[in-house]
Amino acid sequence: MNEFKHFINGAYVGSASGKTFENRCPVDNSLIGLVHEAGLDEVDQAVRAAKAALKGPWGQLSQAQRIELLNSVAERINQRFDEFLEAECRDTGKPYSIASHIDIPRGAANFKAFSETLANHPTEAFRLDAPDHLGAINLGHRTPKGVIAVISPWNLPLLLMTWKVGPALACGNTVVVKPSEETPATTTLLGEVMNECGVPPGVFNVVHGFGPNSAGEFLTTHPLIDAITFTGETRTGEAIMKAAAVGLRNISLECGGKNPGIVFADCDLEKAVEGTMRSAFVNCGQVCLGTERVYVERPVYDAFLKRMKEQVAKLKLGRPEDTAANFGPLVSLEHRNKVKYYYDLAVEEGATVEIGGGIPDMGEALNGGAWIEPTIWTGLADDARVIREEIFGPCCHIRPFDTEEEVIQLANDTEYGLAAAIWTENSSRAIRVAEQIEAGLVWVNSWFLRDLRTAFGGAKQSGIGREGGVHGLEFYTELKNICIKL
Ligand SMILES: NC(=O)c1ccc[n+]([C@@H]2O[C@H](COP(=O)([O-])OP(=O)(O)OC[C@H]3O[C@@H](n4cnc5c(N)ncnc54)[C@H](O)[C@@H]3O)[C@@H](O)[C@H]2O)c1
Ligand SMILES: N/C(=C\C=C\C=O)C(=O)O
């Protein structure tokens, strides 16, 4: 039985209250750990440790020294790859085949990528003419923002936490991380790596707990937090934004989505099927960038639907360590109940269930887990709740369209604006349509192909701000202008 303690000032500490909550394996709902729930005291200790570390050895390091240290963190994650893989898959139930290609490699890459950005990105300088004709020089100078609260979700725990911790530390900040209550393991394990690599105590801190009236809320309302970066549901983002308003703390929000996939008749059909299969079903559909609405130009609608059903039927459900498995359970029974609610709602709203729609028989050993069938629907009206609300499961609705104008209107008819995928071999059409899609991220003939130098974030109710590459600098640093009279 694992015991997950907080990581504060370089040490693992339990909650003074002794309060813990259960950590269960999604594969069979077995009890695999107890997690300490942080109270106000633990959160305060973590924030004050982070504050103090800014003025300690960490604050004395040069940018080059910080970058060297963070590159060693990346290398150590890779050296302990199997431990991170086992911990992530135990927490999430996802197949090793997925976590070993996405979650863990990106956990390391997120430290390296931002180090290189920082080392190579200039600030700014302007020469100003002055009335005395001697002029002045203006210099842009970046300093760390301070103590960053990092609040992360359960779907890609290590990836999404390090996506924030990497740039935050690269810019000289310190962090207090509150991972999801569903997935404490890899964030806790990273504390060991920080110590092994010589990251000073207090630079990286972890507190466990829930949101409201628990560690999440205690952290976002703590007066010594200088900025909050959050990934999770839009409604949670609203709550965190309200908390951040007191004391004017900056926020970076990466929230929900109801992403469209647009398949034109002039696409490479096999590429479109392969890409849509990934965007709808990888990670059991638990990817914010995933496709839950698929629009297919009428001439290829029947062929596309047929191929998708054939591919879904081939998905192999199984334990994480099953090398043949490419489809795991949802993260919890609670989330399975939510997704199954939408499966039932789809039928009530008039959907045709083309494949799936239920709970699979996984055999006695696994039937207690959060398993659910990958599902395709057709025939729903555009205003159906299943078409408008984020489900965050392995399901998608496929609908024909006839014109480019029609599909752009359909794709944009959502309160969200996170991502989209467009499948066409016509490059002019690809760019023309992509420019009109109201989203932060548009892939053409690909999906979740990530260049960490690019801007990442959502429009509309999918988030606020952009992280990635130089874009994170605006959030993770204060930019000062120094004007020097000549
Ligand atoms: N845009 C992105 O990059 C992105 C990436 C991954 C997931 N997501 C979204 O995340 C959601 C799924 O993740 P989830 O269920 O963990 O989201 P969630 O909002 O329920 O929880 C996310 C985190 O916020 C914490 N939290 C909850 N309420 C809080 C509060 N009031 N104050 C402070 N912290 C609070 C939770 O404990 C958790 O650590 C989906 O909507 C998905 O689209 C978005
Ligand atoms: N933030 C990123 C992925 C988000 C995935 C959402 O589930 C990334 O690739 O950097």
Side-chain angles (χ1 to χ4, degrees):
M1 176 76 73
N2 294 299
E3 182 184 7
F4 296 104
K5 295 183 175 180
H6 317 299
F7 184 73
I8 299 174
N9 208 27
Y12 288 99
V13 295
S15 294
S17 68
K19 269 178 83 176
T20 60
F21 57 93
E22 292 184 346
N23 174 229
R24 288 188 172 271
C25 175
V27 168
D28 56 11
N29 201 41
S30 59
L31 183 62
I32 52 175
L34 287 177
V35 191
H36 285 251
E37 182 176 359
L40 278 165
D41 287 349
E42 284 78 29
V43 169
D44 185 55
Q45 287 163 31
V47 174
R48 291 183 185 281
K51 195 78 178 175
L54 287 169
K55 300 295 183 195
W58 177 252
Q60 309 309 314
L61 291 182
S62 68
Q63 180 174 285
Q65 288 171 317
R66 274 203 313 271
I67 287 169
E68 189 180 342
L69 210 44
L70 296 177
N71 285 340
S72 67
V73 169
E75 281 151 30
R76 191 62 182 140
I77 289 172
N78 282 327
Q79 287 165 0
R80 299 187 63 172
F81 189 99
D82 291 346
E83 292 172 79
F84 278 95
L85 180 65
E86 197 274 330
E88 197 76 306
C89 294
R90 188 180 59 233
D91 257 358
T92 60
K94 67 178 76 181
Y96 279 28
S97 58
I98 292 177
S100 59
H101 286 92
I102 298 178
D103 302 69
I104 313 308
R106 276 291 308 280
N110 285 343
F111 282 100
K112 277 192 176 295
F114 294 101
S115 304
E116 285 156 21
T117 298
L118 258 188
N120 302 320
H121 184 66
T123 48
E124 60 184 23
F126 296 96
R127 197 179 195 293
L128 175 68
D129 290 337
D132 62 4
H133 304 300
L134 295 178
I137 297 282
N138 289 280
L139 288 178
H141 178 65
R142 290 190 180 278
T143 53
K145 185 82 80 171
V147 179
I148 311 291
V150 177
I151 300 192
S152 46
W154 48 254
N155 62 313
L156 303 167
L158 183 67
L159 187 157
L160 290 167
M161 177 269 298
T162 56
W163 172 242
K164 302 192 180 271
V165 171
L169 298 189
C171 294
N173 301 290
T174 57
V175 298
V176 180
V177 180
K178 210 294 291 177
S180 171
E181 52 276 22
E182 301 287 357
T183 52
T186 47
T187 299
T188 308
L189 182 57
L190 188 59
E192 288 185 18
V193 170
M194 292 293 177
N195 282 348
E196 288 167 350
C197 295
V199 175
V203 171
F204 174 81
N205 303 278
V206 178
V207 290
H208 294 292
F210 303 87
N213 196 34
S214 187
E217 184 178 339
F218 300 156
L219 184 57
T220 56
T221 56
H222 194 293
L224 294 182
I225 288 293
D226 295 301
I228 302 165
T229 179
F230 163 77
T231 298
E233 293 189 5
T234 296
R235 300 290 86 78
T236 306
E238 289 174 348
I240 289 173
M241 197 168 177
K242 287 174 185 163
V246 178
L248 288 184
R249 277 82 57 77
N250 196 3
I251 42 108
S252 169
L253 303 179
E254 297 184 333
C255 298
K258 189 70 176 183
N259 310 308
I262 303 173
V263 180
F264 285 101
D266 60 10
C267 74
D268 175 320
L269 194 67
E270 282 315 304
K271 263 194 222 172
V273 169
E274 186 279 333
T276 308
M277 278 299 296
R278 285 193 302 115
S279 67
F281 299 107
V282 80
N283 206 42
C284 201
Q286 300 165 126
V287 181
C288 63
L289 306 163
T291 303
E292 292 190 357
R293 298 181 291 143
V294 185
Y295 301 100
V296 182
E297 197 168 5
R298 203 172 296 276
V300 298
Y301 175 79
D302 290 340
F304 179 83
L305 177 59
K306 178 174 179 292
R307 290 288 296 122
M308 285 291 291
K309 289 166 69 174
E310 290 167 355
Q311 294 306 309
V312 168
K314 292 177 184 171
L315 287 172
K316 178 80 173 62
L317 284 67
R319 293 173 180 273
E321 61 276 13
D322 176 350
T323 51
N326 54 17
F327 192 88
L330 293 165
V331 74
S332 67
L333 289 180
E334 180 189 0
H335 188 55
R336 204 267 301 274
N337 292 340
K338 170 190 170 183
V339 176
K340 182 64 171 58
Y341 165 80
Y342 280 100
Y343 278 27
D344 299 339
L345 177 64
V347 174
E348 287 170 28
E349 292 188 309
T352 298
V353 182
E354 297 287 348
I355 189 168
I359 293 172
D361 179 356
M362 298 298 294
E364 192 178 340
L366 301 187
N367 270 342
W371 300 93
I372 199 161
E373 291 177 338
T375 296
I376 294 176
W377 300 295
T378 56
L380 282 174
D382 296 329
D383 63 354
R385 286 183 54 201
V386 164
I387 298 296
R388 310 204 65 77
E389 297 174 18
E390 180 183 57
I391 299 170
F392 215 55
C395 50
C396 65
H397 179 265
I398 302 179
R399 177 206 195 279
F401 71 89
D402 296 299
T403 68
E404 198 175 287
E405 293 68 26
E406 177 195 8
V407 75
I408 290 169
Q409 186 278 324
L410 287 167
N412 288 335
D413 183 17
T414 169
E415 65 187 32
Y416 294 109
L418 185 54
I422 299 170
W423 304 91
T424 174
E425 292 298 306
N426 178 328
S427 53
S428 300
R429 181 207 292 274
I431 293 169
R432 183 172 63 241
V433 173
E435 287 182 341
Q436 299 177 72
I437 296 297
E438 297 165 357
L441 304 140
V442 179
W443 278 280
V444 176
N445 296 334
S446 58
W447 177 76
F448 205 15
L449 182 60
R450 290 280 291 115
D451 180 332
L452 304 188
R453 295 167 297 182
T454 58
F456 185 100
K460 298 161 66 174
Q461 295 203 33
S462 289
I464 292 177
R466 294 293 182 270
E467 299 195 25
V470 298
H471 309 282
L473 288 174
E474 291 316 315
F475 176 72
Y476 290 112
T477 66
E478 288 291 357
L479 178 58
K480 177 192 311 172
N481 182 64
I482 302 170
C483 180
I484 306 155
K485 184 74 182 63
L486 301 179

